[in-house]
Amino acid sequence: MNNHFLNRTLRKRLTAGICVGIASMAVPLMAAEKSGSQAPVLSPPAVSGAERSKPNILYILVDDLGKEWVSCYGAEDIQTPNIDALAAGGMKFNNAYSMPQCTPSRTTLLTGKYPWRTGFVNHWDVPRWGVGYFDWKQQENTTFARLMKELGYATCAAGKWQINDFRIEPQAMKQHGFDDWAMWTGCETGNPASDIRYQDAYINTPEGGSKTYKGAFGPDVYTDRLIEFMKQHKEAPMCLYYAMALTHIPLVATPDEPNAKSKIDRHKAMVRYMDKLVGRLVTALDELGLRERTIVIFTTDNGTVGGKRGVIGTRNGKEVEGSKGKETEAGVCAPFIVNCPGLVPAGVETDALSDFSDMLPTFVELGGGTVPEDLVIDGTSIAPLILGKEQDSERKWIMALGHGGAKLDAKGVRGVKDFATRVIRDKRYKVWVSNQRQIIRLHDLKEDPWEATNLLGSDRAEHTQALKKFQKVIDSLPEKDARPLYAPRAANPWDRKVGK
């Protein structure tokens, strides 16, 4: 399906009245930019009263951080006052799932589809490994940004993308629905400068292409970009996607703690700086008069890095090893907070179920639209819950899957196994599912939150009922996971080879 036809179809299907086109605008990088000329600031288009009444959405996705490093979730080794303030003044979720690792989480939240449907059931670092990519020409890869633009929203992204290669797809962000962006390119094989996301970061923007911002700390550049976009579009509804670079390795000192040396001290410095940037964004919303019509969502893409390169945190009296890439609750049950004074009820802690597949339909409903009839998604909107109109989500279960690197065969990128392992849970019970589509573990998360006791052999009625419930979910899934959908392109020198 060509791009023109897809856009025309989305316009027909979205029920949101008259859509106002938002021009692609190049926003200056403010004081963080040390080199290169700035593009002129264009006047934003006129905005109707109906559009002005729509809420803004600011979605903050931290990279590699579990609940053991967020103090309102019981972290004991750190204080995150700005995040805690969002939780105190909003809604804190206890049962929200990310996916276990980077690519599966990002493609799920962008498309509203589980990795078994998108084909990104394993991590695939596009700038580093080439071959496959997140192809906007495929209707199945339609992002929430494209749908929000159809609803009259101005859209901006900042931080980390990593599912396209800007060297050969310089307009990938625009094609995926973003009017403006400032993105770390990801590590481009053969280009050492591109490996830097923090100090002297290598960043792609629509007006400047990809280049090093000498003397600038990348997270400041990304945050400045979003704030400037807010200033330029404060009269329009905005959908802002901040995929933070923090707190992913390498562990580095920050501008506020330049003398941090040890692994744990640098990690803590990065968490504190991340929290500070959350505070900067909230302050900017206040100063621009946007706070009471901006829904701020704070979450993370997976657990903290573990192993030799990772750290151990303490949560509610228990030491928690970083669990990125694992299907344990520490790896996939993410911090998830929603805040908007006057729109989102304050001081609420909920056990409602949700996962990243719910984000696309939630954003569309908040924007006054409906998901196109011919766009298949897996998620369900949680807008009624976060607006206080319902006390629970519609979800009866949530799912997480996708970790480790994908592989290549003669046809291109694919999952390592035909059927990826996954975990499925409800408010109490959780099952682990093998590559053979078999339930291999059952846990009662109320009694056993750290998943120490496998109840698979139990004959208690409640346990057998839980197994039957989850087996029905498994039986509804395809026997084989999909492959990533993308049009083949000419080979590049950095493309990974089959068998490597």
Side-chain angles (χ1 to χ4, degrees), residues 183-243:
M183 311 304 293
W184 172 56
T185 62
C187 181
E188 300 170 344
T189 297
N191 179 15
S194 67
D195 194 31
I196 308 301
R197 72 191 81 184
Y198 296 125
Q199 192 62 40
D200 302 328
Y202 194 79
I203 298 171
N204 181 276
T205 64
E207 78 281 0
S210 300
K211 61 183 179 182
T212 295
Y213 286 79
K214 191 69 176 175
F217 190 58
D220 289 333
V221 180
Y222 315 134
T223 306
D224 288 344
R225 188 73 172 209
L226 286 171
I227 292 173
E228 184 61 21
F229 190 86
M230 293 178 195
K231 292 177 180 177
Q232 296 298 325
H233 297 82
K234 63 182 180 180
E235 299 302 322
M238 295 178 286
C239 183
L240 311 171
Y241 173 46
Y242 191 8

Side-chain angles (χ1 to χ4, degrees), residues 142-320:
T142 299
T143 67
F144 66 71
R146 293 178 69 174
L147 300 182
M148 298 306 280
K149 275 180 63 63
E150 295 290 340
L151 293 171
Y153 274 71
T155 56
C156 182
K160 173 180 171 179
W161 188 252
Q162 210 174 24
I163 49 180
N164 289 96
D165 189 332
F166 299 142
R167 289 173 292 184
I168 53 180
E169 302 164 336
Q171 294 299 307
M173 297 302 296
K174 182 177 180 180
Q175 297 288 357
H176 280 302
F178 293 99
D179 296 317
D180 189 45
W181 62 89
M183 311 304 293
W184 172 56
T185 62
C187 181
E188 300 170 344
T189 297
N191 179 15
S194 67
D195 194 31
I196 308 301
R197 72 191 81 184
Y198 296 125
Q199 192 62 40
D200 302 328
Y202 194 79
I203 298 171
N204 181 276
T205 64
E207 78 281 0
S210 300
K211 61 183 179 182
T212 295
Y213 286 79
K214 191 69 176 175
F217 190 58
D220 289 333
V221 180
Y222 315 134
T223 306
D224 288 344
R225 188 73 172 209
L226 286 171
I227 292 173
E228 184 61 21
F229 190 86
M230 293 178 195
K231 292 177 180 177
Q232 296 298 325
H233 297 82
K234 63 182 180 180
E235 299 302 322
M238 295 178 286
C239 183
L240 311 171
Y241 173 46
Y242 191 8
M244 282 193 173
L246 291 164
T247 56
H248 195 287
I249 57 174
L251 299 175
V252 299
T254 67
D256 287 355
E257 299 177 68
N259 297 320
K261 301 294 184 185
S262 70
K263 181 168 65 173
I264 190 64
D265 285 347
R266 286 188 169 187
H267 173 75
K268 289 181 178 180
M270 292 167 76
V271 174
R272 282 190 282 263
Y273 206 81
M274 174 274 297
D275 182 74
K276 174 184 174 179
L277 295 180
V278 171
R280 278 194 60 203
L281 289 166
V282 173
T283 297
L285 291 171
D286 277 325
E287 293 175 347
L288 292 169
L290 300 173
R291 187 72 179 88
E292 294 184 354
R293 63 182 181 94
T294 302
I295 296 174
V296 179
I297 301 175
F298 173 90
T299 188
T300 71
D301 68 341
N302 46 246
T304 314
V305 172
K308 293 181 179 180
R309 297 191 295 175
V311 292
I312 295 174
T314 306
R315 181 178 178 228
N316 296 329
K318 181 176 177 60
E319 286 192 346
V320 182

